[in-house]
Amino acid sequence: MIQPKIALRLGGYKIFTATPAVGILYEVNGFLSGNVRLRGRDNGSYLYNYLEMLDYHFGPEDNTIEVGSGNIRELYGGLGPAQKCTTVDINPDCKPDIVADGQYLSEIRDNSFKRWRCDPPYNDKTSKGMYKTEFPNFNKLLKTGARVIEPNSLMFLLCSQNYQMCPSNVTRIGFIYISVVPNNETRILNIYVKTRN
Ligand SMILES: C[S@@+](CC[C@H](N)C(=O)[O-])C[C@H]1O[C@@H](n2cnc3c(N)ncnc32)[C@H](O)[C@@H]1O
């Protein structure tokens, strides 16, 4: 599943440094776990080095759909991990490629992408207070995400929950605990793969 060099093998465990994050990732029985630290950004934006960590460990994927894209293009100046993805946000002020509700994406055809990344609001309070929108249902986000990507594509849901529930054609393959520096907030990276249509 994971591509870079293994730092250590210990019994059935493959252990990696979380480069470029600070921390350790380990894979056993096909499931990736880890505990990492990343520095936070303002306004609910992606943590520093978060996307770089994904690209480093899973390889970049140009045909990515980024749901709840927020300010991602501004963050990267249209370069790096945010360069080629198709951005989707419910808020037109974010100037995404597609203004849409990530729970439905009715204008996007099945199997259009090869990776799904999603960074939704983390709770009802933030959703209504900060983003002026209803709190999206994560199961609907995952179900629709799985519809618009091809089988065997990876799915990355960043939230503050250990989100085990997923559609029947999706398997959860990773859980990485992220401690945000310096405020010690918790983020959870839930990783899934779409197994079939
Ligand atoms: C945590 S922010 C994402 C920040 C982004 N990763 C960044 O680095 O700037 C959540 C985003 O989800 C968007 N959003 C909220 N509900 C949504 C929905 N149902 N469908 C699509 N986008 C949604 C908000 O407008 C907001 O831009």
Side-chain angles (χ1 to χ4, degrees), residues 8-192:
L8 193 64
R9 278 182 192 272
L10 207 60
Y13 288 77
K14 295 178 204 162
I15 304 173
F16 316 82
T17 58
T19 311
V22 174
I24 294 294
L25 307 179
Y26 61 93
E27 189 182 329
V28 64
N29 297 331
F31 194 87
L32 182 69
S33 304
N35 196 315
V36 312
R37 290 201 305 271
L38 287 170
R39 189 153 64 90
R41 277 192 171 103
D42 291 336
N43 304 318
S45 288
Y46 271 144
L47 308 164
Y48 287 96
N49 277 332
Y50 168 76
L51 290 179
E52 289 82 349
M53 179 178 76
L54 297 191
D55 279 4
Y56 182 81
H57 289 282
F58 297 93
E61 172 53 65
D62 290 345
N63 194 12
T64 291
I65 180 167
E66 175 77 38
V67 175
S69 52
N71 303 317
I72 186 176
R73 284 262 157 74
E74 288 73 37
L75 290 184
Y76 286 90
L79 298 172
Q83 189 175 14
K84 292 189 177 154
C85 60
T86 297
T87 55
V88 176
D89 203 286
I90 203 165
N91 180 357
D93 294 343
C94 296
K95 299 192 175 63
D97 299 323
I98 304 171
V99 177
D101 185 334
Q103 297 171 107
Y104 307 105
L105 301 180
S106 41
E107 52 280 84
I108 299 180
R109 277 190 279 174
D110 298 0
N111 301 311
S112 295
F113 296 94
K114 290 189 172 169
R115 184 168 294 178
W116 177 86
R117 288 191 308 239
C118 185
D119 184 20
Y122 303 140
N123 54 50
D124 190 56
K125 190 175 166 205
T126 320
S127 211
K128 291 187 173 126
M130 196 162 167
Y131 302 110
K132 315 291 178 219
T133 185
E134 291 300 314
F135 185 43
N137 177 303
F138 289 180
N139 217 33
K140 285 185 184 168
L141 290 172
L142 280 167
K143 192 171 175 198
T144 294
R147 180 180 66 73
V148 301
I149 57 173
E150 293 178 6
N152 300 319
S153 300
L154 291 167
M155 307 180 75
F156 298 95
L157 173 66
L158 184 66
C159 60
S160 56
Q161 294 176 46
N162 176 3
Y163 203 76
Q164 286 175 293
M165 203 164 54
C166 56
S168 57
N169 61 341
V170 170
T171 301
R172 189 161 177 265
I173 56 166
F175 164 90
I176 298 175
Y177 175 90
I178 302 174
S179 180
V180 181
V181 177
N183 60 10
N184 284 328
E185 278 181 13
T186 294
R187 298 280 179 272
I188 305 291
L189 168 57
N190 296 277
I191 310 171
Y192 315 83

